[in-house]
Amino acid sequence: MSSQKRGGAFNHYADRNQHFNKKQRSNQPAFNSGAYDDRGRNGQGKPQQRGNAVPQQRGQVTFPQTVLSADEMRTGLVALLDRFEAAETSPDADKDILYHTCELRRLLCARNEKSVSAQAKRDLDEKRPDKMVNVTIPDYIYRKVDEAQTLPPLPPILEPHLHEAVFTHKSVHETNANVHQGIDFGLDYERLEFLGDAYIELLASRALYNRFPQVEVPQLCSWRERLVENLALGKFSEAYGLPDRLKHKSHWDKDTKAWKKVVADLFEAYIAGIVLSDPQNGFGVAERFLDQLWAPQLLGFKERIIENPMARDELQKLCMTAGIKLGYREEKPMTYDHGVQRYYLGVYLTGWGYEQEWLGSGEGQNKAQACIAAATDAIKRNSVVLQNATKQKKVLVEAKTREREEKAKLEAAESGQGEERVISADVKPDEPEEIATKKRKSDSAEPSSEKSKKHKKDKKEKKEKKDKDR
């Protein structure tokens, strides 16, 4: 209600507010004020319609039809093809449809090179080139690309739910309430990692067992440890970009052991996903893939061959004799290298003017192998000490040989003179040589006949004694 004014007047502002507060009627057409200017009026003072606009009737609102140009339609079609390609990209997608979609998009984009704007851009680059330095790709991206180029292609996981589980961390399902409520334990990578760890160890054992039949088991265990360790698997995972696809709500420091274990676990979970998604061929696909990954490492494994098993005997022959000693002793404590024990021994010479003089060192999985390795090293080194000991032994052996030869000659000479004296005493001067030879033979036969007679006599006495005892 308007307020009363003095002098019988009324409130003009209230009436004006009431006029502006009225809602516009729904059936009242709205016109553009620009259509009522002097240029837009016909002779009768009515607004003149423009373009292809449909004459408006009372109570209806119409819009002018939009006509798209060819460039606009091409741009929209490219955008639609992009969305269609992203939606259709899946393991069970039709490859022919995707191929033709990509080809049509490529052809449409190629037509833009002939447009006026593209030509203007080329003219701009020619007349006023951009002299700013382009932003370079970070080094770690280059490293990933280089590493991935040398690796075999990553086999796909055929089951979508397994593929999702591989790249899902359990922190995604955790809430501030009870963390064990409403969680699907099948949709995270931990269970797959548990299975993938066993698969990878089994495949590594098969590769080593089949390809190195002559290598001892401790050495095979050491090599398997190097194939399946988190450091090696983490490098593969980083090269394929698996950590970048992980969904999680945790906060990790990328330099900690916890994060490095997560990176390696992702690779193990992916291997399990490959096997489980294809029950018939998955294991073979995973084995061929890992064999290609491990091929450089397997080629680098060198079988430890004992070059000369008789090295200890040969070293003894070079420098040992009476009073000379070769001793083997530990140079440092035993260590464990990837779960395999290793001994470190050295060989030392005492004698020939030396006292505990080092000749060589070696290592092995047991003390016997380490001793052989140390003796082999000493022979290869052929140090001055070993050369002097060998020379001294050679001189000593030659001296003893000459001494034995001289002694043998003396004994032979003495025995020859005695025989000549005996023969000359038995042979008479007038006796022919043939008779003397027969006499010597009969003399030599006499002792043997006496022995046979004595043996027969003893045998007869024993027989008689047995008869008496009966």
Side-chain angles (χ1 to χ4, degrees):
M1 183 175 180
S2 61
S3 59
Q4 190 69 29
K5 300 293 182 181
R6 282 179 292 179
F10 61 93
N11 190 351
H12 298 277
Y13 296 97
D15 295 338
R16 184 174 65 181
N17 292 337
Q18 291 177 4
H19 174 74
F20 283 101
N21 288 334
K22 291 180 180 180
K23 294 184 179 179
Q24 189 177 2
R25 296 176 183 178
S26 60
N27 60 353
Q28 184 177 357
F31 299 97
N32 188 358
S33 61
Y36 288 88
D37 58 0
D38 296 336
R39 293 174 295 179
R41 293 176 180 273
N42 55 16
Q44 298 179 359
K46 292 182 181 180
Q48 183 178 1
Q49 295 178 356
R50 295 185 178 182
N52 297 326
V54 180
Q56 297 179 357
Q57 298 180 0
R58 189 179 184 84
Q60 295 182 356
V61 179
T62 59
F63 298 95
Q65 295 180 357
T66 303
V67 180
L68 297 177
S69 64
D71 293 338
E72 292 174 339
M73 288 190 292
R74 182 169 59 248
T75 303
L77 186 56
V78 170
L80 290 175
L81 290 173
D82 285 339
R83 296 187 62 182
F84 179 79
E85 182 181 356
E88 287 293 320
T89 302
S90 62
D92 55 348
D94 192 336
K95 295 182 180 180
D96 294 335
I97 294 177
L98 284 177
Y99 170 76
H100 291 296
T101 301
C102 297
E103 190 67 15
L104 179 58
R105 183 186 180 282
R106 185 186 65 80
L107 294 174
L108 290 173
C109 293
R111 295 186 64 181
N112 291 332
E113 297 295 328
K114 302 178 182 179
S115 63
V116 178
S117 60
Q119 183 63 37
K121 178 64 168 59
R122 289 192 291 270
D123 296 340
L124 177 63
D125 292 338
E126 182 179 356
K127 294 180 180 180
R128 296 183 179 278
D130 188 1
K131 297 182 179 180
M132 293 296 293
V133 179
N134 294 329
V135 179
T136 58
I137 299 177
D139 293 338
Y140 71 92
I141 298 295
Y142 276 124
R143 288 196 299 270
K144 283 188 176 182
V145 172
D146 291 339
E147 291 175 359
Q149 287 178 351
T150 60
L151 298 178
L154 190 66
I157 297 177
L158 303 181
E159 291 291 341
H161 72 281
L162 290 175
H163 187 275
E164 182 180 0
V166 168
F167 299 105
T168 303
H169 189 260
K170 64 179 181 179
S171 61
V172 174
H173 307 293
E174 293 179 356
T175 60
N176 293 330
N178 189 353
V179 297
H180 299 291
Q181 291 180 353
I183 300 177
D184 185 2
F185 289 98
L187 290 179
D188 64 73
Y189 70 85
E190 286 191 353
R191 291 180 62 83
L192 292 175
E193 177 268 330
F194 168 76
L195 185 61
D197 185 15
Y199 277 135
I200 290 176
E201 187 167 357
L202 173 61
L203 293 173
S205 300
R206 281 169 56 89
L208 293 170
Y209 182 83
N210 295 334
R211 299 177 187 276
F212 298 92
Q214 304 299 330
V215 179
E216 296 181 354
V217 173
Q219 185 66 49
L220 293 178
C221 293
S222 175
W223 289 349
R224 183 179 62 186
E225 183 68 21
R226 291 167 61 182
L227 290 177
V228 303
E229 62 183 353
N230 285 341
L231 180 61
L233 300 182
K235 290 181 179 179
F236 294 145
S237 181
E238 290 282 358
Y240 285 112
L242 301 185
D244 300 333
R245 302 159 64 180
L246 179 64
K247 295 183 293 184
H248 64 90
K249 293 182 180 180
S250 302
H251 300 282
W252 285 298
D253 184 1
K254 297 302 178 66
D255 296 330
T256 59
K257 291 183 178 180
W259 171 251
K260 293 179 180 178
K261 185 180 184 305
V262 169
V263 173
D265 291 348
L266 280 175
F267 186 81
E268 295 172 346
Y270 196 93
I271 296 299
I274 294 173
V275 177
L276 295 179
S277 64
D278 188 359
Q280 294 183 354
N281 304 317
F283 187 85
V285 172
E287 185 171 23
R288 289 190 294 272
F289 170 64
L290 289 176
D291 284 346
Q292 294 181 32
L293 276 180
W294 288 330
Q297 289 178 272
L298 293 174
L299 289 173
F301 291 156
K302 300 300 181 182
E303 183 178 357
R304 184 178 292 275
I305 301 174
I306 300 177
E307 299 179 359
N308 186 5
M310 306 301 294
R312 297 181 66 178
D313 296 337
E314 292 183 3
L315 184 61
Q316 291 177 1
K317 291 178 181 179
L318 286 175
C319 60
M320 275 193 68
T321 185
I324 308 301
K325 182 181 178 182
L326 281 174
Y328 295 87
R329 66 185 186 189
E330 291 189 8
E331 295 181 332
K332 61 179 182 179
M334 180 194 66
T335 61
Y336 280 92
D337 183 14
H338 298 285
V340 179
Q341 60 186 9
R342 305 202 66 80
Y343 293 88
Y344 304 88
L345 274 71
V347 56
Y348 296 83
L349 174 65
T350 300
W352 306 117
Y354 300 102
E355 182 68 26
Q356 295 294 331
E357 191 69 27
W358 177 81
L359 297 180
S361 299
E363 60 182 72
Q365 296 178 3
N366 50 54
K367 291 186 177 181
Q369 291 184 3
C371 290
I372 293 174
T376 304
D377 183 57
I379 294 173
K380 284 184 177 180
R381 290 176 180 276
N382 196 20
S383 62
V384 177
V385 175
L386 182 58
Q387 293 179 11
N388 292 336
T390 304
K391 289 179 181 178
Q392 293 185 48
K393 179 179 178 179
K394 186 178 180 180
V395 172
L396 179 62
V397 170
E398 291 177 353
K400 288 185 176 181
T401 303
R402 287 195 301 268
E403 184 179 352
R404 284 196 299 269
E405 289 177 354
E406 292 176 357
K407 186 177 181 180
K409 289 179 180 179
L410 291 175
E411 291 178 354
E414 291 178 356
S415 62
Q417 290 178 0
E419 290 178 357
E420 289 178 357
R421 285 195 297 268
V422 171
I423 293 171
S424 60
D426 293 339
V427 179
K428 297 180 180 180
D430 298 335
E431 190 177 13
E433 185 176 356
E434 294 179 0
I435 298 173
T437 305
K438 291 180 180 180
K439 188 177 181 180
R440 285 196 298 271
K441 288 183 179 181
S442 63
D443 293 341
S444 61
E446 286 179 0
S448 61
S449 62
E450 292 178 358
K451 288 182 180 179
S452 62
K453 290 179 181 179
K454 186 177 180 181
H455 177 69
K456 290 179 180 179
K457 186 178 180 180
D458 294 338
K459 190 174 181 180
K460 187 177 180 180
E461 291 178 355
K462 288 182 180 179
K463 189 176 180 180
E464 293 176 355
K465 187 177 182 180
K466 286 182 180 180
D467 294 339
K468 290 180 180 180
D469 293 337
R470 289 177 185 175

